[in-house]
Amino acid sequence: MAAPQSTKLNAVQLHLLKMFARPMDEQDLAAIKSLLSNYYAQKVDAESEKLWDEKGMSQQTIDDLLNTHLRIPYK
């Protein structure tokens, strides 16, 4: 039988554990989940915009990708 792996928490995880080491109701949990989801969604949006600009992409680029046939033909 394999030995259990130890998991180290990073600084953010440790900070969150300390911050939320108190009783919370379901509304608090839902609000925190929403805040974290929104935070990461904003980061993804910002990174997408950055990539879009760096690659010089346009709506035409997206349309071309949607209409590109990439499958390998079967023999």
Side-chain angles (χ1 to χ4, degrees):
M1 181 179 221
Q5 294 180 352
S6 75
T7 303
K8 292 187 177 184
L9 300 176
N10 64 38
V12 172
Q13 292 167 323
L14 290 170
H15 182 75
L16 288 172
L17 283 173
K18 288 176 186 174
M19 280 182 59
F20 300 120
R22 62 175 185 78
M24 277 190 243
D25 60 21
E26 290 298 318
Q27 285 181 318
D28 288 339
L29 177 59
I32 291 166
K33 283 182 177 182
S34 179
L35 284 169
L36 289 172
S37 294
N38 290 337
Y39 170 77
Y40 283 109
Q42 288 174 357
K43 287 187 74 145
V44 167
D45 284 345
E47 191 63 30
S48 296
E49 287 289 327
K50 179 180 166 189
L51 184 62
W52 182 275
D53 292 339
E54 286 175 358
K55 300 293 183 182
M57 297 177 77
S58 67
Q59 185 59 47
Q60 184 63 46
T61 308
I62 300 301
D63 292 340
D64 291 345
L65 287 171
L66 285 172
N67 297 315
T68 302
H69 179 71
L70 298 175
R71 290 184 58 179
I72 298 171
Y74 293 103
K75 293 184 180 182

